[in-house]
Amino acid sequence: MTERHRDGRPRPLLPSERPIRFLTDGGTPARGPHPYPEPDPDLLLRAYRRMVVGRRFDAQATALTKQGRLAVYPSSRGQEACQVGAVLALDDGDWLFPTYRESVALVTRGIPPVEVLSLLRGDAHCGYDPHRHHVAPQCTPLATQTVHAAGLAYAERRKGSGRVALAFVGDGATSEGDFHEALNFAAVFHAPVVFLVQNNRYAISVPLERQTAAPALAYKGIGYGVRSEQVDGNDAVAVLAVLGAAVAHARSGGGPFLVEAHTYRMEPHTNADDATRYRADAETERWRRRDPIARLEAYLRGLGRLGDEEAAAIAAEAEEVAARLRAGMNADPDLAPLDLFAHVYREPTPQLAEQRALLRSELQAELHAEEVPV
């Protein structure tokens, strides 16, 4: 199946029959017959560093839930190649539209780790400045952010900015109406947006085969005329290669691009979930042997681009990030309860103003009025 360039020339629309991969499960070269060039080794080393730091951040955030410092945390352990690869494929001016599971991507983007966790700690609607970082607030409803990404990308196209938007979405969210509306809108209006589907096999506890009859989630783009591809999401080299091509496609005026990354969520859906009730340990162990960081490390060592000294320095950097995160999260934030109403609407509605006044009076009844920030 093909789509047409505007000059009438055909271009491929279907994804590869099998996920694109550059590495074996053990990290040795396994490049197949596909058109994607291998990323520069310097970029691969940069990705490795960000993946190691991201995993340490993830482990520390998980520990903070056990200490009561976080109400909930959805781990992305095992999905680091997708999270880091997406950020490194973009320019600084491009936009990210994350879900609640993309904390590692946000840290990779340069958002301070404590600000990344502010939403999950319950401190604020969004702990960071979306405009400063070009990162939309982390989205909990399924697939609603894909519509926002398509709309923003279309606006950037109208402005001629050359910017691209990338929306993360999970496998379960591809069954939601918003996902399909976003693909259709993006295709019709030629919006420069990349949809990255992280197929981690489970929508909370529902396995992929109970969610969809499609042969691959990448095929869901075809019906809308969206160029699609599938990639081994635990192969960082392949993820960087395919996402780099997808972003270039969108930026050059080719329209939207859908990438399905085959990966696996090693931890439960959140710390409130019991994954042993819906999947076997043997399955998890098979994916553990495809660990994205171990595969990339083995490849870089084989290339002679990573040695013991540099690996130790990267591990030490990751520990420093974890230590700063612990210190930041152990400090109680200075919160203003009435800020709850500050960013809902540009001009508060009468109902919202009434709710704000009610909360203020209740706080004043419990505390001294002069201690309540207004």
Side-chain angles (χ1 to χ4, degrees), residues 141-307:
L142 296 182
T144 55
Q145 80 282 4
T146 59
V147 181
H148 304 157
L152 183 139
Y154 176 58
E156 295 290 356
R157 178 184 163 230
R158 291 288 302 269
K159 291 188 291 187
S161 69
R163 289 172 177 160
V164 171
L166 185 147
F168 290 98
V169 64
D171 46 275
T174 67
S175 300
E176 296 288 327
D178 282 350
F179 172 77
H180 296 273
E181 293 175 15
L183 259 63
N184 191 59
F185 178 94
V188 170
F189 291 99
H190 230 55
V193 55
V194 175
F195 301 98
L196 174 56
V197 180
Q198 291 180 92
N199 174 7
N200 66 14
R201 311 297 300 171
Y202 291 92
I204 305 182
S205 59
V206 180
L208 184 67
E209 55 270 21
R210 296 288 300 276
Q211 301 174 37
T212 181
L217 299 178
Y219 283 71
K220 294 190 176 185
I222 298 170
Y224 300 104
V226 174
R227 174 81 175 92
S228 303
E229 187 57 279
Q230 51 181 338
V231 63
D232 182 340
N234 283 24
D235 177 349
V237 183
V239 170
L240 284 164
V242 172
L243 284 179
V247 170
H249 171 94
R251 199 187 307 283
S252 65
F257 200 114
L258 187 153
V259 176
E260 178 190 6
H262 295 260
T263 184
Y264 195 77
R265 164 168 54 80
M266 298 302 299
E267 302 294 336
H269 176 65
T270 69
N271 54 298
D273 175 37
D274 179 6
T276 63
R277 300 185 65 181
Y278 56 84
R279 67 185 189 189
D281 290 343
E283 176 184 289
T284 306
E285 183 56 33
R286 284 198 299 275
W287 280 91
R288 199 181 305 281
R289 291 194 289 271
R290 303 178 62 190
D291 182 88
I293 296 179
R295 289 169 75 179
L296 183 56
E297 178 172 342
Y299 185 60
L300 289 170
R301 286 181 180 274
L303 289 179
R305 298 303 299 263
L306 179 67

Side-chain angles (χ1 to χ4, degrees), residues 2 26 28 60 79 95 106 109 117-118 162 168 176 198 210 224 252 261 268 275 278 281 293 314 321 328 336 350 363:
T2 59
T28 55
Q60 186 60 63
Q79 299 180 214
W95 277 83
L106 270 53
R109 186 72 168 192
L117 295 179
S118 291
F168 290 98
E176 296 288 327
Q198 291 180 92
R210 296 288 300 276
Y224 300 104
S252 65
Y278 56 84
D281 290 343
I293 296 179
I314 292 172
V321 170
L363 292 170

Side-chain angles (χ1 to χ4, degrees), residues 40-58:
D40 185 89
D42 288 342
L43 177 60
L44 299 180
L45 186 59
R46 187 179 167 205
Y48 172 78
R49 171 174 166 261
R50 301 313 306 174
M51 290 165 67
V52 170
V53 171
R55 176 165 294 185
R56 186 63 187 89
F57 164 88
D58 191 86

